[in-house]
Amino acid sequence: MNAPVYIITGFLGSGKTKFIIDMLQDEGFTDGERTLLLCCEEGETEYDPVLLRRSNTMLVTLEDMDDLSGNKLNELDREKRPERVIIEYNSMWMLETLYSARKPQNWDLAQIICLVDAQSFELYLKNMRNFMADG
């Protein structure tokens, strides 16, 4: 059985965590599957442990880009046996790092969603164009 992978990216304050919380609360999206949530940065909003339990979601924090190297993702797959993976990706890490990481063969990219705060978009585009255009 293949596990769909959803990558949620965007700069700090763009609403990634809130978006993922909405995904996990949506009964049309969550149907009891074991979900592995890989959080690659600490934002302002935290995940509610009750919501994580109710949505059958296991939260794993990857604090350093080096956590994507080696066999970490395969180890997490064997340990957690997810039926779905959501990655809250750190926008300061190039997506190529994630693309080139060794991943389980049964992980299939389902969707990449990039969230942007309209109030800071022009500033980010002007000063960090290479991160804004990554992909």
Side-chain angles (χ1 to χ4, degrees):
M1 175 94 174
N2 288 347
V5 176
Y6 300 89
I7 301 172
I8 313 300
T9 188
F11 285 100
L12 194 62
S14 63
K16 294 182 300 293
T17 304
K18 174 73 171 100
F19 184 83
I20 293 169
I21 288 170
D22 288 347
M23 288 171 67
L24 296 175
Q25 289 175 333
D26 182 348
E27 292 177 10
F29 182 77
T30 303
D31 195 22
E33 300 95 347
R34 276 186 317 279
T35 300
L36 174 60
L37 172 55
L38 298 177
C39 187
C40 299
E41 69 181 3
E42 286 189 42
E44 300 164 0
T45 306
E46 295 186 15
Y47 291 99
D48 178 5
V50 173
L51 172 64
L52 295 176
R53 266 192 311 281
R54 189 174 51 225
S55 62
N56 200 14
T57 301
M58 302 158 286
L59 174 64
V60 174
T61 301
L62 303 177
E63 296 184 11
D64 190 272
M65 193 168 41
D66 291 338
D67 289 337
L68 294 173
S69 63
N71 211 28
K72 180 73 172 178
L73 299 178
N74 284 298
E75 291 169 8
L76 287 169
D77 185 66
R78 279 191 301 276
E79 178 186 328
K80 307 293 187 184
R81 296 182 6 254
E83 296 171 283
R84 172 177 53 209
V85 179
I86 300 172
I87 302 174
E88 182 176 357
Y89 200 66
N90 185 330
S91 64
M92 299 307 289
W93 300 355
M94 300 302 280
L95 277 171
E96 178 58 34
T97 304
L98 180 59
Y99 296 154
S100 62
R102 280 186 251 156
K103 295 174 279 308
Q105 289 184 346
N106 66 320
W107 287 17
D108 287 333
L109 180 60
Q111 198 168 28
I112 300 175
I113 298 170
C114 180
L115 300 175
V116 178
D117 179 353
Q119 294 178 347
S120 58
F121 176 75
E122 284 189 43
L123 178 68
Y124 285 143
L125 187 60
K126 180 179 177 183
N127 296 307
M128 295 186 278
R129 184 175 297 272
N130 62 327
F131 289 104
M132 295 293 288
D134 182 32

